[in-house]
């Protein structure tokens, strides 16, 4: 056999191995969610319980949304949170930072690693998260499973291997009971249920739809669901139990009635109602949350609008009306130029898929930010009275806001992967810190708090 032919044979075998790993024999998802015998309202890791945590100050309601984008997103988000942690207000306690103002963190995919880690460990994240995740070659462990022929047919699937990896090295076996005990802001880890075609947040309110107990559920499993790229990873499966179900609850029926003139919200509510068809839909299949919202902004929008707007949401969670509503959107999506237009050559399948995904992602991101800005204005107006005006702040952070064109190009070319160089991680962290501190709306927020 010639050397050239031998290389072709080797290449064919490698391609075959990859194809087999991506289309391995059909298996069954591993069920790891426990059943609820009866609903326990305001129990476990829920919106209402997390909203009632002890706070030094309650005049600002701040939601932080962390986008997808692998370690690139995790590092950029980490830089933003580091800057918030180091920022103090002259009118607050010396031990109270802007990060302490955060009431909720909504995340998808790569951003979910940072969100969950902070929810579990608080400010100690700044001591060890870089070593535990950001500067760890997580991808090599995933690839070993992906390319290991013994794992193709072991029945667990690549997703279970990823869960084991994240559980061992990052989240140390933590469950949602641990997240609740930590007492930090509400962490909304979001995934996509491709069976019911709906965005799903890992909180007890949504687990109630499945008659399932979130408290015993693994944080690593939720983060894996949020970041499970379709085809590369098989969906994470949850059992849709029926033991506690008495049909569609009153609050969801009322939400459907209120949403008749809002087609998008109606679609979300109707798909959530599908969970009550227990016989036809006994399982839910979760993949990357970025499919239904790569910014993590729409989850909180869903909860507020399903509750009947800002007033209804505050009534449900038992919070007082804040003076200020703040949303900080950490958008780590990369904007790379396509080379397709430089040639007459027919684009490859990979280039075509990447271009289609990029177009859909960026257009949907723009629409989501426009929606967020509009509803923040509406929520502030609804909560305002003649005696007290509620102000709103939308702080949108993304690479395009950087002053240095070379840095913008550099960060946009950082791949969506779980293995970045130390230089890439450092520059992403620095960019996150810089952007939030220099953002005009963040400066206005600091100034307004200080002027009280």
């Amino acid at each position: 056999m010639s050397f050239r032919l031998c290389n072709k044979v080797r290449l064919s075998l490698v391609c075959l191995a990859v194809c087999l790993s991506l289309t391995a024999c059909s298996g069954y998802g591993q069920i790891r969610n426990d059943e609820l015998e009866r609903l326990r309202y305001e129990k476990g890791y829920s919106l209402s319980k997390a909203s009632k945590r002890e706070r030094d100050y309650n005049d600002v309601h701040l939601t932080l949304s962390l986008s997808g984008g692998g370690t690139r997103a995790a590092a950029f988000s980490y830089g933003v949170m580091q800057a918030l942690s180091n920022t103090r207000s002259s009118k607050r306690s010396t031990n109270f930072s802007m990060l302490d103002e955060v009431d909720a963190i909504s995340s998808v995919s790569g951003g979910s690693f940072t969100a969950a880690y902070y929810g579990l460990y608080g400010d100690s994240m700044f001591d060890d998260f870089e070593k535990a995740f950001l500067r760890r070659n997580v991808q090599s462990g995933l690839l070993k499973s992906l390319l290991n022929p013994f794992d193709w047919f072991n029945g667990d699937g690549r997703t279970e291997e990823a869960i084991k990896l994240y559980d061992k090295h990052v989240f140390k076996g933590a469950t949602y009971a641990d997240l609740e005990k930590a007492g930090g802001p509400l962490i909304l880890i979001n995934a996509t249920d491709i069976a019911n075609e709906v965005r799903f947040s890992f909180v007890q309110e949504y687990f109630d739809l499945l008659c399932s107990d979130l408290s015993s559920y693994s944080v690593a499993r939720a983060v894996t669901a949020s970041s499970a790229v379709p085809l590369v990873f098989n969906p994470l499966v949850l059992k849709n139990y029926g033991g506690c179900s008495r049909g569609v609850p009153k609050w969801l029926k009322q939400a459907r009635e209120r949403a008749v003139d809002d087609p998008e919200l109606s679609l979300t509510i109707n798909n959530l109602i599908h969970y009550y068809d227990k016989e036809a839909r006994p399982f839910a299949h979760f993949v990357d949350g970025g499919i239904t919202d790569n910014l993590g902004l729409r989850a909180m929008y869903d909860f507020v609008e399903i509750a009947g707007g800002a007033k209804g949401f505050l009534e449900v969670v038992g919070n007082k009306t804040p003076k200020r509503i703040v949303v900080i959107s950490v958008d780590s999506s990369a904007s790379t130029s396509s080379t397709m237009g430089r040639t007459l050559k027919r684009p490859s399948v990979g280039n075509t898929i990447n271009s289609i995904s990029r177009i859909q992602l960026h257009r949907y991101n723009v629409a989501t930010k426009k929606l967020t800005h509009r509803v923040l204005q509406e929520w502030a107006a609804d909560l305002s009275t003649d005696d007290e005006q509620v102000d709103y702040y939308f702080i949108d952070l993304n690479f395009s806001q950087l002053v240095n064109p070379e840095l913008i190009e550099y960060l946009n070319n950082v791949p969506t992967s779980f293995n970045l160089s130390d230089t890439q991680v450092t520059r992403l962290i620095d960019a996150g810190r810089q952007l939030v501190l220099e953002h005009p709306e963040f400066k206005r927020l600091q100034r307004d708090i200080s002027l009280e």
Side-chain angles (χ1 to χ4, degrees):
M1 184 180 293
S2 69
F3 180 76
R4 180 175 296 178
L5 180 58
C6 189
N7 276 344
K8 287 184 177 180
V9 171
R10 290 195 185 100
L11 180 60
S12 298
L13 288 173
V14 170
C15 292
L16 176 61
V18 173
C19 290
L20 281 172
S21 67
L22 293 174
T23 59
C25 296
S26 297
Y28 294 96
Q30 304 296 308
I31 303 300
R32 294 288 188 271
N33 61 310
D34 295 332
E35 183 176 10
L36 277 180
E37 294 183 1
R38 60 186 179 85
L39 293 178
R40 300 175 297 173
Y41 295 105
E42 296 191 4
K43 298 290 185 180
Y45 197 76
S46 63
L47 269 75
S48 53
K49 191 162 186 176
S51 298
K52 294 174 183 174
R53 68 191 177 99
E54 292 293 326
R55 296 288 306 279
D56 290 336
Y57 304 93
N58 293 295
D59 56 336
V60 175
H61 190 282
L62 196 160
T63 299
L64 189 61
S65 70
L66 310 182
S67 81
T71 301
R72 183 183 67 239
F76 188 51
S77 301
Y78 176 83
V80 171
M81 294 175 69
Q82 196 176 63
L84 295 178
S85 179
N86 292 331
T87 302
R88 300 292 193 271
S89 168
S90 60
K91 294 295 183 180
R92 303 300 207 198
S93 163
T94 55
N95 294 323
F96 196 83
S97 72
M98 287 301 296
L99 189 56
D100 294 319
E101 298 276 13
V102 175
D103 295 272
I105 303 177
S106 178
S107 65
V108 295
S109 199
S112 292
F113 288 88
T114 308
Y117 205 89
Y118 179 72
L120 286 168
Y121 307 115
D123 286 343
S124 64
M125 174 180 78
F126 303 114
D127 298 327
D128 52 25
F129 184 58
E130 291 186 46
K131 181 179 179 181
F133 182 75
L134 295 181
R135 300 185 190 274
R136 178 188 293 274
N137 186 357
V138 177
Q139 192 154 300
S140 66
L142 297 175
L143 285 174
K144 284 179 182 178
S145 174
L146 187 68
L147 298 176
N148 186 348
F150 293 103
D151 288 337
W152 300 344
F153 311 105
N154 67 5
D156 285 345
R158 293 175 297 278
T159 300
E160 289 298 319
E161 295 302 317
I163 292 168
K164 293 175 186 176
L165 183 68
Y166 304 152
D167 209 28
K168 178 180 178 181
H169 295 293
V170 185
F171 300 112
K172 311 298 183 183
T175 66
Y176 269 82
D178 297 312
L179 199 57
E180 183 181 352
K181 290 176 185 176
L186 175 69
I187 306 298
L188 286 175
I189 295 174
N190 302 292
T192 301
D193 181 357
I194 54 174
N196 281 329
E197 302 176 5
V198 69
R199 183 169 38 257
F200 188 96
S201 302
F202 283 78
V203 287
Q204 187 58 53
E205 283 84 352
Y206 273 22
F207 261 56
D208 283 346
L209 306 179
L210 305 175
C211 286
S212 185
D213 181 16
L214 180 62
S215 297
S216 59
Y217 201 71
S218 158
V219 173
R221 299 189 78 84
V223 173
T224 304
S226 181
S227 58
V229 177
L231 299 181
V232 177
F233 295 97
N234 48 294
L236 189 142
V237 181
L238 273 73
K239 173 69 175 175
N240 184 15
Y241 297 104
C244 72
S245 178
R246 294 180 177 84
V248 181
K250 183 179 179 180
W251 65 268
L252 203 48
K253 291 179 180 178
Q254 292 174 338
R256 181 168 57 183
E257 293 173 1
R258 288 193 299 267
V260 290
D261 295 325
D262 187 335
E264 184 174 0
L265 186 60
S266 292
L267 179 63
T268 297
I269 294 170
N270 288 330
N271 287 343
L272 290 175
I273 289 174
H274 287 163
Y275 287 115
Y276 290 94
D277 191 354
K278 303 293 182 178
E279 292 185 5
R281 301 170 186 269
F283 301 101
H285 293 254
F286 295 108
V287 295
D288 195 337
I291 295 174
T292 45
D293 173 25
N294 194 54
L295 295 172
L297 285 170
R298 290 182 179 253
M300 187 55 73
Y301 165 78
D302 287 347
F303 284 116
V304 174
E305 292 302 300
I306 287 173
K311 288 182 179 179
F313 180 76
L314 290 179
E315 183 178 341
V316 168
V317 301
N319 275 6
K320 295 180 180 179
T321 301
K323 293 181 181 179
R324 300 175 180 86
I325 306 173
V326 185
V327 171
I328 301 179
S329 172
V330 186
D331 178 5
S332 309
S333 59
S335 180
T336 54
S337 58
S338 173
T339 59
M340 194 181 297
R342 301 176 186 175
T343 178
L344 289 170
K345 187 179 179 181
R346 180 185 301 171
S348 67
V349 173
N351 284 338
T352 302
I353 292 174
N354 286 337
S355 293
I356 293 172
S357 299
R358 186 165 54 245
I359 292 168
Q360 292 176 330
L361 172 70
H362 290 300
R363 292 183 69 86
Y364 193 48
N365 282 356
V366 169
T368 296
K369 291 178 183 181
K370 183 178 180 181
L371 170 69
T372 302
H373 190 273
R374 176 177 63 80
V375 297
L376 279 176
Q377 187 176 17
E378 292 175 358
W379 294 345
D382 289 344
L383 295 173
S384 295
T385 64
D386 292 338
D387 297 326
E388 188 73 61
Q389 294 295 306
V390 176
D391 204 352
Y392 72 95
Y393 308 73
F394 182 40
I395 302 169
D396 173 24
L397 306 174
N398 59 79
F399 297 152
S400 67
Q401 297 165 343
L402 292 163
V403 176
N404 186 343
E406 293 182 1
L407 180 58
I408 295 174
E409 183 179 5
Y410 178 88
L411 296 182
N412 276 324
N413 282 287
V414 173
T416 303
S417 75
F418 287 126
N419 177 29
L420 300 184
S421 69
D422 283 342
T423 300
Q424 289 171 324
V425 170
T426 298
R427 299 191 77 174
L428 284 160
I429 293 172
D430 290 345
R433 283 199 302 254
Q434 174 188 340
L435 281 179
V436 67
L437 294 176
E438 294 179 354
H439 197 284
E441 281 292 271
F442 184 72
K443 290 181 177 180
R444 181 170 76 92
L445 174 63
Q446 288 183 283
R447 183 174 65 249
D448 290 351
I449 292 175
S450 298
L451 290 175
E452 288 184 339

